[in-house]
Amino acid sequence: MIQNPKFIILLYHKIGKYPQNAKFPGLYVAEEDFDRQIKYLKNSGYTFLTLSELKTVYDYYSGFGNTGSADRPSTTEGLQNLINGKSKYATITFDDGSKSVYSNGLKVMAANGVKGVVFMVSGLIGGLNEWDIKNGENRDEMLNIRELKEMINYGIELGAHTKTHPHLTQIDADKAFNEIAASKKELENLLGININFFAYPYGDFNEEVETLVKKAGFLGACITKTGIVKKGADFFALRRVAIRHNTDFFKFKRKIFKVKLFY
Ligand SMILES: [Zn+2]
């Protein structure tokens, strides 16, 4: 029984080659890079989890640690399959809900038999990346309902990423709570599923915002600071490893190696 599993959460935005005039090329990862990254992790023995699965596996190991080896917590068959003989876990997350995750990313994930999590800006379903356009970025289409449903049917977990993608520490607490709580409710009502996880837009959060996310009923939230999820992690400030347009294969391997070593 391995008691110290490693959980790495990867952060992506759009899948596809970045346009030459992109203001934020770092938001793009080419399909072939994405494919190679998944294959590398699979070949290195990583099991891919959604965030809800990550929490279940993490809680299992935490309980195990607390109760001692003679007193294993009970497990379901599904959980056993995620635990037996495994110690390395990866979770693919996509912030924003770009249509490219469906049109380019899904087939790569399906071909590799892996799942992931999409953090959707709930007020822009079927619309455009309005917050980025304001910052001078190209127009990018967002996922629509049909695409979201298809991805959920495939096994993608849907998370919330506010209604309009504001800086949550820069607006009133009332407004921030509404952005957070309403994005959960909107997605839940629209799709008839539970939304358990949240990602802070721009990774912008503080203690007050964290409290609001807890109050809204989420089980956890992702930030953009680099790190892995380890023992004693704050589930409302889950660290990730950001992958960008210029994360070539060597850099990718180095990022994974370093994050396990130093975080
Ligand atoms: Zn975002």
Side-chain angles (χ1 to χ4, degrees):
M1 170 59 69
I2 298 146
Q3 292 200 40
N4 219 344
K6 291 202 179 349
F7 300 93
I8 297 182
I9 306 176
L10 301 166
L11 165 58
Y12 296 89
H13 290 84
K14 306 173 195 182
I15 299 300
K17 199 174 160 20
Y18 67 94
Q20 281 307 314
N21 61 348
K23 177 143 187 220
F24 307 116
L27 298 178
Y28 292 82
V29 170
E31 272 172 76
E32 53 271 30
D33 290 338
F34 184 49
D35 182 55
R36 202 171 179 196
Q37 290 157 5
I38 293 173
K39 286 190 165 66
Y40 170 72
L41 292 173
K42 275 181 75 178
N43 294 336
S44 308
Y46 281 82
T47 299
F48 287 75
L49 305 175
T50 63
L51 283 172
S52 288
E53 287 171 340
L54 183 157
K55 186 167 182 343
T56 304
V57 174
Y58 182 92
D59 286 348
Y60 169 79
Y61 281 110
S62 305
F64 192 63
N66 294 337
T67 51
S69 57
D71 192 15
R72 295 182 185 196
S74 61
T75 57
T76 61
E77 198 189 325
L79 178 57
Q80 275 305 333
N81 288 337
L82 294 177
I83 290 167
N84 285 344
K86 288 159 186 147
S87 64
K88 299 196 285 189
Y89 298 97
T91 299
I92 299 169
T93 65
F94 302 95
D95 280 11
D96 302 340
S98 163
K99 190 189 274 287
S100 68
V101 174
Y102 172 83
S103 40
N104 300 331
L106 186 60
K107 57 177 178 278
V108 176
M109 287 190 278
N112 286 290
V114 303
K115 296 186 270 186
V117 181
V118 172
F119 288 110
M120 186 76 210
V121 178
S122 69
L124 297 173
I125 295 171
L128 295 172
N129 55 335
E130 306 288 356
W131 75 96
D132 262 350
I133 294 170
K134 271 181 209 150
N135 292 326
E137 181 55 290
N138 294 336
R139 288 156 60 100
D140 186 47
E141 279 183 76
M142 306 288 287
L143 292 159
N144 63 32
I145 299 267
R146 184 184 59 78
E147 293 156 350
L148 285 170
K149 282 187 180 157
E150 201 178 319
M151 291 207 294
I152 291 163
N153 284 340
Y154 167 74
I156 299 289
E157 179 171 10
L158 193 63
H161 197 44
T162 71
K163 284 172 70 174
T164 65
H165 209 279
H167 280 96
L168 288 171
T169 68
Q170 294 172 20
I171 56 177
D172 292 345
D174 285 359
K175 229 177 163 182
F177 183 69
N178 182 45
E179 280 279 354
I180 296 162
S183 70
K184 184 179 197 293
K185 278 277 154 298
E186 277 177 7
L187 295 172
E188 287 179 340
N189 293 340
L190 214 55
L191 295 151
I193 52 168
N194 286 331
I195 303 294
N196 295 329
F197 285 85
F198 181 78
Y200 304 94
Y202 311 100
D204 178 37
F205 79 112
N206 56 24
E207 226 173 281
E208 195 186 0
V209 171
E210 228 183 297
T211 307
L212 297 178
V213 174
K214 285 178 194 164
K215 198 175 129 192
F218 288 98
L219 302 180
C222 289
I223 58 176
T224 53
K225 273 188 197 140
T226 303
I228 61 171
V229 181
K230 55 185 178 189
K231 218 174 168 182
D234 176 356
F235 257 71
F236 288 84
L238 295 167
R239 289 171 176 247
R240 295 187 280 182
V241 178
I243 311 302
R244 299 178 218 281
H245 69 301
N246 58 0
T247 310
D248 62 28
F249 192 49
F250 174 75
K251 277 192 196 161
F252 181 82
K253 288 190 283 185
R254 195 177 56 186
K255 270 185 190 235
I256 298 297
F257 177 76
K258 275 175 74 179
V259 82
K260 285 193 291 184
L261 215 55
F262 299 120
Y263 291 91

